[in-house]
Amino acid sequence: GYFLFVIASSLIGDTAILIASIRYDTFKLHEVMTVIIQHIAVCDLMVTVMDVCPRFVSVTAGEWTFGTYWCYLLPYAAYYLNPVSILLICAMTTFKLLLMKYPDKFEGTTIKQAHRICWACWLAGLTFPVSFYHQGWDDIQFSYRIYHCNFVYSKDIWRSWLKPLLGFVFLFIPTCLVVVNTIYMLIIAKSSADQRDRGSLNWQGIMATVLTATFYCISVLPTFVYAAIEGFVHVHDKSQSFFHVQFYRVIHSFIFLNTMSNFYIYCLTVLSFRDFVKAKLARSYQFFTRAENVDRKTSTSVVVTLIASMATAAVTSHGRRISESDSELDTSYD
């Protein structure tokens, strides 16, 4: 049920974000923030299709059903897209902080520059799949702990320094930046509110960024807990360990909170996007209501026509019987 909710929220929500921001230009935020939001939506859609959907199918079937080719391909996609998502959120909070702290300097940042920042995040994310491919492209097997194909990390280089290094650079440092940026934004916002200078800040953008950062931190918190405790948990059979099985599943489930939450965050914080969603829902409701009324009218007319036809047939039949009876009476009198 959880994976199905994530899939529906992401596919519908992120598609709505892209349509609203690209076609209708409903996000009344700084254009750089809008560009970053678009890139995050695209990344979340890819995560849903290449990571969440295969997990949902595997959980439902109880096994891997996509074949060997996809078992080798999809882990590379997952370990590429998740760092990209983290870096994009880091870029979002960093730019929003700079915009609040130095508005005169960063207000003029263009859409082209924003896309360059986002593409830098996409390129940096390639570090993970390239490292995996270089150290053994086929070091992958299906894991019943997460119901997805995953890297085994069988080489000593992963356990000795490469895996901790990548985790530190692409998870720990960006997360620390997100936390520091968010706290600093709240301090600036509070200071502005205390000075009765509320009009100088875009509170919708601030709240959208803060909530995005908050849900991201919640989604990765179990990962940090697992990484901190893993070295101290020693069991004979990891397959029977709650920490290495059930809690490990919780880690991979919590990560998708970040994938599905953006639509609800923007509906809550960005008034223009909320109005867009309300308008589309109202039009959809009117369409289905009108269609239902048409169906009812059609059904009613069909029933009325059928009843009228039956009544006409009955009257005609009764008239024939009366005529036949009269003819018989005339014949008898003769």
Side-chain angles (χ1 to χ4, degrees):
Y2 172 74
F3 285 133
L4 188 61
F5 179 69
V6 173
I7 292 170
S9 298
S10 178
L11 292 180
I12 298 174
D14 289 318
T15 302
I17 290 170
L18 292 173
I19 293 174
S21 61
I22 296 175
R23 182 175 180 181
Y24 295 98
D25 193 23
T26 57
F27 278 81
K28 305 305 179 184
L29 304 173
H30 192 282
E31 54 190 12
V32 174
M33 295 292 295
T34 303
V35 169
I36 297 175
I37 286 172
Q38 292 169 356
H39 280 264
I40 292 175
V42 171
C43 185
D44 288 344
L45 281 173
M46 295 174 69
V47 169
T48 300
V49 173
M50 297 185 179
D51 198 354
V52 185
C53 288
R55 291 176 194 263
F56 172 70
V57 174
S58 297
V59 169
T60 304
E63 61 182 356
W64 182 256
T65 60
F66 294 95
T68 304
Y69 175 80
W70 291 104
C71 184
Y72 284 116
L73 178 62
L74 292 178
Y76 284 95
Y79 277 86
Y80 169 57
L81 295 170
N82 286 318
V84 170
S85 178
I86 295 171
L87 293 175
L88 287 172
I89 294 174
C90 184
M92 182 182 190
T93 57
T94 302
F95 179 79
K96 188 60 184 177
L97 175 61
L98 293 174
L99 192 61
M100 294 171 63
K101 185 68 175 175
Y102 309 104
D104 296 335
K105 186 175 181 180
F106 289 93
E107 183 69 32
T109 306
T110 64
I111 294 179
K112 188 175 182 179
Q113 291 173 327
H115 281 294
R116 287 177 180 174
I117 295 171
C118 294
W119 283 118
C121 296
W122 287 94
L123 290 175
L126 289 172
T127 305
F128 261 90
V130 169
S131 299
F132 285 124
Y133 185 85
H134 180 70
Q135 295 300 326
W137 66 271
D138 58 345
D139 192 20
I140 297 172
Q141 67 180 20
F142 179 74
S143 173
Y144 279 97
R145 293 197 297 171
I146 60 175
Y147 285 93
H148 201 286
C149 293
N150 199 14
F151 293 98
V152 182
Y153 304 104
S154 59
K155 292 188 177 181
D156 292 335
I157 188 175
W158 286 110
R159 291 185 291 271
S160 60
W161 64 272
L162 187 55
K163 184 179 178 181
L165 176 63
L166 292 176
F168 180 79
V169 173
F170 289 96
L171 181 61
F172 182 75
I173 292 179
T175 302
C176 289
L177 285 174
V178 169
V179 172
V180 171
N181 291 340
T182 304
I183 294 174
Y184 202 1
M185 278 191 294
L186 292 174
I187 293 174
I188 295 175
K190 184 178 184 303
S191 176
S192 177
D194 292 341
Q195 296 174 7
R196 302 183 182 277
D197 192 22
R198 292 176 177 266
S200 63
L201 297 177
N202 186 338
W203 289 92
Q204 295 184 55
I206 294 173
M207 293 307 301
T209 305
V210 169
L211 286 178
T212 301
T214 301
F215 272 89
Y216 162 72
C217 292
I218 294 173
S219 69
V220 298
L221 180 61
T223 302
F224 282 102
V225 174
Y226 183 87
I229 301 178
E230 182 181 13
F232 301 96
V233 178
H234 302 285
V235 293
H236 178 69
D237 186 4
K238 290 185 177 181
S239 64
Q240 302 299 322
S241 170
F242 173 85
F243 179 79
H244 290 285
V245 179
Q246 281 77 16
F247 187 68
Y248 191 76
R249 287 176 181 168
V250 170
I251 292 173
H252 286 265
S253 298
F254 259 67
I255 290 175
F256 300 127
L257 287 175
N258 180 51
T259 304
M260 70 175 183
S261 61
N262 291 331
F263 172 76
Y264 305 105
I265 291 173
Y266 302 145
C267 284
L268 181 64
T269 58
V270 183
L271 297 179
S272 56
F273 180 67
R274 186 196 309 171
D275 294 338
F276 169 81
V277 173
K278 286 182 178 179
K280 294 302 179 183
L281 289 176
R283 289 186 61 181
S284 300
Y285 176 76
Q286 291 175 358
F287 173 80
F288 286 111
T289 303
R290 188 181 301 111
E292 184 178 356
N293 291 334
V294 171
D295 290 340
R296 287 180 179 177
K297 291 180 180 178
T298 304
S299 300
T300 303
S301 63
V302 170
V303 171
V304 171
T305 303
L306 181 61
I307 293 174
S309 300
M310 293 174 63
T312 302
V315 170
T316 303
S317 176
H318 184 65
R320 289 177 179 175
R321 289 178 181 177
I322 293 175
S323 299
E324 292 175 356
S325 299
D326 292 341
S327 299
E328 291 176 359
L329 289 173
D330 293 341
T331 304
S332 63
Y333 283 124
D334 292 338

